Amino acid sequence: MRFAVFGAGGVGGYLGARLADAGHDVHLIARGDHLDALRTDGLTVESVAGDTAVELPATDDPADIGPVDYVLFCVKAHDTREAAADLGPLLGDDTAVVSFQNGVDNERWLAEEVGESHVVGGVAYIFSTIAEPGVVEHTGGPARFVYGELDGERTDRIAALDDALRSCAGVEAVLADDIDVELWRKFAFICAHSGMTAATRLPVGDVRDAEDSWRMYRRVVEEVCAVARANDVALPDDTAAEWVEFAQELDADSYSSLHYDLTHEKAMELDALNAAVVRHADGTDVAVPMNEAVTAVLRPWAERFADG
Ligand SMILES: NC(=O)C1=CN([C@@H]2O[C@H](COP(=O)(O)OP(=O)(O)OC[C@H]3O[C@@H](n4cnc5c(N)ncnc54)[C@H](O)[C@@H]3O)[C@@H](O)[C@H]2O)C=CC1
Ligand SMILES: CC(C)(CO)C(=O)C(=O)O
């Protein structure tokens, strides 16, 4: 099958390399030093699930690639709209654009650009990053990827994507019954984990050790779950409890990509995370003071690094 990875970074580079190793025709879309390195030295993945190195066509211009079966859409959420505007040349009649991003708005933003019939929802559970140009480092996390058609249909294209991802070494592939539930499930965790590690600039171990901060972490999760339900998302009742238990077991030195971006003066996904909780709570009867506080604390930094 023919894949384009739009944003061949921590998530996209990892998936692209795994799919290429499984025999698929993979094209990478990247930019800057990373693109230069991909062109000259190929893509190296250093992974706790096994290293690999692949030589794949790489470009910053989707027109060089043409229509594909799947676009794995893996840019940061603040780049979604701009990147979505460049998807045209990659689209055939049945091309699926699969968002493997954090946040619950990317699918809608994509649909506004390319039409809902092209959009497939997705969630990534992995800790991976561009360690240096051309090199993606996967340091942990299950490398679990969850995906599904927005209307829950078992279409041929989602079944074929499922087969392709299941055939990849180093990938745990999960076809979701209700991708909206999966998007909000991950959202509940990532808003707490990212928001609190970034706002405190400390790893989760320190947050857990400070009673007030750990209570706030738990309340962020609970608020997001309440907002999901107020927006008619059928989150299981035990979602908040599961995440709190999960966070309790996380390595004490675990941070988040939001903390990384803050401390490396890079553009932050605040608008797609805690600020999005505040937006989605608007018009419901759910109060979200903890997410408002995280947003207020991080907003000046997000503004300062918006062009980073
Ligand atoms: N890295 C991780 O461990 C995880 C990340 N996520 C989410 O996945 C999404 C992707 O994150 P990462 O892979 O970490 O980001 P990343 O920053 O490592 O990779 C994205 C790449 O896309 C490139 N890009 C953006 N717009 C482009 C354009 N118009 N043309 C060409 N290249 C473009 C960027 O330069 C960057 O190299 C985010 O929403 C993130 O929150 C979710 C789970 C885990
Ligand atoms: C915490 C983590 C790595 C979990 O997948 C994540 O999604 C992020 O930091 O953006």
Side-chain angles (χ1 to χ4, degrees):
M1 268 179 301
R2 198 154 196 264
F3 286 85
V5 176
F6 206 124
V11 170
Y14 185 83
L15 276 171
R18 296 306 189 194
L19 283 159
D21 278 343
H24 296 285
D25 177 17
V26 179
H27 299 253
L28 305 177
I29 298 165
R31 60 187 179 186
D33 290 354
H34 188 50
L35 174 59
D36 294 343
L38 292 173
R39 281 174 162 156
T40 51
D41 304 323
L43 169 62
T44 300
V45 173
E46 295 171 354
S47 165
V48 289
D51 298 347
T52 189
V54 288
E55 303 268 345
L56 299 173
T59 181
D60 56 3
D61 183 358
D64 292 344
I65 303 172
V68 294
D69 300 307
Y70 301 94
V71 180
L72 305 186
F73 193 78
C74 306
V75 302
K76 295 275 193 169
H78 41 258
D79 288 326
T80 295
R81 285 181 184 280
E82 198 184 318
D86 291 339
L87 283 167
L90 302 170
L91 301 182
D93 288 348
D94 201 32
T95 302
V97 180
V98 191
S99 160
F100 282 119
Q101 300 169 280
N102 277 326
V104 292
D105 298 308
N106 295 292
E107 284 74 7
R108 184 169 46 82
W109 293 335
L110 279 165
E112 281 166 13
E113 194 62 47
V114 299
E116 197 168 298
S117 65
H118 282 295
V119 183
V120 164
V123 182
Y125 291 96
I126 187 169
F127 293 84
S128 57
T129 187
I130 300 175
E132 60 183 273
V135 180
V136 166
E137 189 180 16
H138 166 214
T139 53
R144 182 162 69 247
F145 297 89
V146 188
Y147 38 85
E149 295 282 3
L150 299 182
D151 61 7
E153 284 284 306
R154 293 290 161 124
T155 55
D156 289 347
R157 71 179 184 186
I158 202 74
L161 177 67
D162 190 41
D163 285 346
L165 289 172
R166 279 173 190 275
S167 72
C168 292
V171 169
E172 190 187 326
V174 181
L175 178 52
D177 289 330
D178 184 338
I179 193 62
D180 236 10
V181 167
E182 298 308 323
L183 286 164
W184 279 88
R185 188 198 300 273
K186 166 85 190 270
F187 193 50
F189 165 67
I190 197 66
C191 287
H193 192 69
S194 287
M196 290 304 291
T197 54
T200 61
R201 292 175 174 248
L202 287 168
V204 71
D206 294 75
V207 175
R208 286 189 306 237
D209 289 346
E211 199 181 312
D212 299 328
S213 311
W214 180 229
R215 186 180 318 113
M216 184 167 177
Y217 188 115
R218 298 194 313 266
R219 287 185 62 191
V220 172
V221 178
E222 286 158 6
E223 286 179 6
V224 182
C225 292
V227 173
R229 295 190 185 101
N231 281 279
D232 298 324
V233 177
L235 266 193
D237 290 345
D238 55 359
T239 303
E242 274 182 8
W243 280 130
V244 169
E245 200 182 318
F246 177 82
Q248 233 142 7
E249 301 302 319
L250 274 175
D251 284 347
D253 63 357
S254 162
Y255 286 101
S256 63
S257 53
L258 194 68
H259 171 271
Y260 180 90
D261 291 339
L262 168 67
T263 53
H264 291 76
E265 305 193 0
K266 289 177 178 296
M268 298 166 67
E269 287 186 305
L270 184 63
D271 263 325
L273 299 176
N274 306 87
V277 180
V278 178
R279 283 199 309 277
H280 284 276
D282 195 29
T284 73
D285 59 1
V286 179
V288 290
M290 299 299 123
N291 281 281
E292 283 170 354
V294 170
T295 302
V297 167
L298 293 177
R299 176 63 72 199
W301 294 111
E303 300 279 332
R304 181 177 285 209
F305 304 140
D307 299 323

